[in-house]
Structures are given as structure tokens and as C-alpha cells.
Amino acid sequence: MRKLATAVALALVCVGAAAGSAGAAPQKINWSPCFQKLGPFQCGTVQVPLDYDDPNGATIAIALTRLPATDQEHRIGSLFLNPGGPGGSGIFEVVFGGPFLFTPEVRARFDLVGFDPRGVGHSTAVRCFGTDKQWAPFFTPFAFPSTPQEEQEWIDADLYLDAACAQRAGRIVEHMSTANVARDLDVLRQAVGDPQLTFDGVSYGTMLGQTYANMFPGKVRAMIIDGVLDPIAWTTGSGDGSTVPFSARLHSDAGAQATLQQFFALCDAGGSNCAFGPNSAARFDALGEQLKAHPLEVVFPDGSTAEVNYSNLIGMTLGAMYDSSSWEDFAGALADLELQASAVTLGIRLQAYWSPGVAYIPKRGFPHYFNAIESFAPVACGDSDNPHDYSAWSTTGTTEEASYAPFGRIWTWVSSICAKWPFVDNDRYTGPFTHTTAHPVLVVGNLWDPATRYQGAVTASNLLPGSRLLTVHGWGHTSLFLSACADEVQARYLVDLTLPPAGTVCNQDHVPFSGP
């Protein structure tokens, strides 16, 4: 387990090129059927400038997939989606999640459009390796470093990726900031024929949304940002950009800690519905100490083996906190670890939570591996100010762990690739994040989000004039699939441009450990 495997990560930074898109006439997308076994999807590409400072120079391809509105007669327009990352595929989001992401009314009125951002997946992609098999030296057998020796192993892995990208990444690696993706998004908006943008971004996608809203404020028809990053912490920090890594400035570790405490409280309250109760917090701490002293071997169903050490316990726990619908099963996995079940039993229990690398979705006929490793740093590091000495990650990780154990180190070290990242994007955007948009933005925050803590939504709503904060009394990362109330609020906003009353709170439909 390693770095990106359990992280969300996000980014953005200083004004460079002019905010507008290229001055050429809007392109027309030639849509063609695709993914037909999965639904009536259509695919196309749009050419955009590699460098918006040179709009008549080299171009790159942005790949899109759309799921047409089910009621074309009453269609409002296109709803663009971004699933986060950085490095997430909007195409995969639409193909595998599109039919389930919104209410039937929203599906009827909008074409859902997903795109792979520049440098990612099906679009012109940054590639630092010939094959994903060459990723192997980047991965470590621990989810974050805890000792000087482990820190050096982690740093060596970072430098391996740095060197590979320096050798073969090409020009695109210096043009992948969120600001450039926002410029692309405005070209895509024009290409589908929409006078203004309708957008839904989750996790890192909220950084793309906030960037677009401030670079193109007059072009916002409706925008939902859900699971929100603090844009100032993400980019420059508040006077601490050169001393504190951006991932620590976001204080995702605080959100993860609060979510884990909720897991313990709900587990203990759930009685027989929780296999790891009662006294789950104390038992978790004891399990951590047990694994520090004696890691356990696991044998997965495919025959591969691994070691569950303390850091991997924390990595799996963080991953489980993202999805509260998994908490009952995860409690069972913790109980099996506590009992030191057989390696085969543990392998069956833990496979859902174990990420030996970065998960990606293979696709028959896909020309290359999905470049999940390479696509994170050009965005996250290109967007954000960071220290340039690894000692800052070591010091900050120790400090954060003291305040937000057990997640202080894992959320600090996730951004360490930025320490010596050898590229910059001069066209990044660092604010201001306070422009008045043509229509107000809907900001959605879960009270217990382990990746994008609720305070990020509060901050963003205070920065964006006229925006409205929807609070979800829920557990997990973003509001997706949690609350019928939140789904309906978002539907009314997207279709009718109606904001919920100030102070609206939606409850999660199912409380973990409360029974069927």
C-alpha cells in the first residue's frame, strides 16, 4: 500500500495565461456510439491548445463520453461531471455511475457528460513509463513512513517517479494545472452548444469547479461542488505555503479522525450489529499496538500474499471511512484481525480494503495502461505551493500525528511527491476565489467526511458570494448515494435553479450499525 492508494489529494495555484478560452469558433463534436453493452453511450473528442498562451500552437485531445437525456424533448442541456483525483476519469464516472448518480428527473433533463482531463486516461495522457509493470519501485510495503528508514524508502520511491517523468513525460506535464483543465472545460461547454455551464464536481472536482467559477464567473448556469476542498489551503496556504505541505494544510487528517470516532460511537451503540463492539476504540488501539509488534500475513483469493502491519491497518481504515455502507463488514474484518484469523480467512475479509497500488479499470482495446500514477503530481504539485525539503514532511507528519492520530502521517505524506517534483505550470490559478458568479453555486458538505472535511465546504461557501451551503448529516466521502433528501435538493437546483433555504440539513438515509 502506498501514497495514492488510500488518498484523495487535490490541487491549484497562480494566475498565468488569460482566463478565456481560445478565440477560434466553437468546435462541433462528432459523437459516435461506444460502451454499447453498458448503455446508450456516445463518445467524441475535442482538440484544445496544449498551451493557452500559444492558442495557435500544438493541440491535445480531450476525450468525452455522454449519456443522453432520457427526455430529449424537454432537455435543458449538458451536465458536466468530474469525479475527483486529481487523475480521476470522468468517462468512467459516466459509464459506470451515470445511470445511478442523479434522480430520474435530472437524468431526463440533462445529457450527462464526462471527460478525462488533459493528461489523463483516454485524453492525451502524460506517460512516464512504457507499461504499468514499471510502476513497481514506486510502491512501498507500508501506507506511510514511520521511521527514518521507511522515510528514506518512501523518498527513494518519489525520486524514482520524478526521474521517470523527467525522462519521458513530454511537454504536457507542464500544462496540467487545474486552471488549464478549467480552460478546457469552457471549450467543451461551447462544443456542446451550452451558453452557460452546468457542472457537478466531487472531491478534487470541487477544486475544478471553484477554479472555473472564478475564471469564468459569467458562464456559470448551475454548479454543485460536493466534498469540498479549501481552495486557499490547496493552492498557496495562508502564509505557510513554503513550510507546510498542501495535504497537511487541508487538515483531512482532522476529518478522518472525527469520522473514525463516529465509527466507534455508532459501533458501540449498535450492539450485536457491530462485530467489533463494545469498546471498539480501545480495541482498535490495542489492535494497532499488536500489529506494530507482530504484523500478520494474509493470502488473498488469487494466491498473492501481503503483510498487514500498523501502517496498512491505518490505510485500510482510512479507505473504509470513505464508504459508511461498508462499516458493518469492516467491523468484521477488524474482529478477524484481532482474533488473528488464518491468513486465508484474512485475505478473504481484507481484499475489499486492500490497495497494493493504485486501482484502475482495464478496458479491452485501451491503447495503454490507465496512467493513475503519473496523472496526480502534475496537477497537485503544479497547483500548490509546497516546501522543497523532505524534512518538512517528516516534521509536519509528526506534528499532525500528535493532533490527529492515527491519520496525521498518512494525510501528510500523500503529497510528498511535490518535494522534488521537477516541473512547474506557469498558468496555474491561485485566486481570488471570491468572484460573483452569474448564478449562485450550491456547496455540499458531509459533517463526517474523512477526506474533504466539512470545514472546506464552510470556507468555500463563505468565499463564493451568493452561494448556498447544504449540510449532510452523514458519514463518508461526499454525499453520493447517502441521502434522498440531498439528492432532491440537488435535483431542484439543477433543474429549476432553486437553492435550498439557508441552514438546510439533510440526514443520511441509513445510520451505520442500526440494522437492516
Side-chain angles (χ1 to χ4, degrees), residues 29 98-99 161 192 211-212 234 355 361 381 400 421 455 473 506:
I29 304 173
L161 179 59
V192 300
T211 303
Y212 184 95
W234 176 253
S355 298
I361 304 173
C381 305
E400 292 293 302
W421 184 244
Q455 185 58 42
H473 186 283
C506 284

Side-chain angles (χ1 to χ4, degrees), residues 337-358:
L337 282 169
E338 182 182 52
L339 292 172
Q340 300 186 35
S342 72
V344 171
T345 298
L346 289 176
I348 294 171
R349 269 291 199 184
L350 298 179
Q351 62 178 332
Y353 310 102
W354 189 268
S355 298
V358 175

Side-chain angles (χ1 to χ4, degrees), residues 464-503:
L464 284 165
S467 64
R468 184 64 47 82
L469 174 63
L470 170 64
T471 298
V472 178
H473 186 283
W475 303 268
H477 183 39
T478 82
S479 73
L480 293 177
F481 310 115
L482 290 186
S483 168
C485 166
D487 293 345
E488 182 58 28
V489 167
Q490 293 178 56
R492 294 277 55 78
Y493 170 71
L494 290 169
V495 174
D496 302 328
L497 299 181
T498 301
L499 290 169

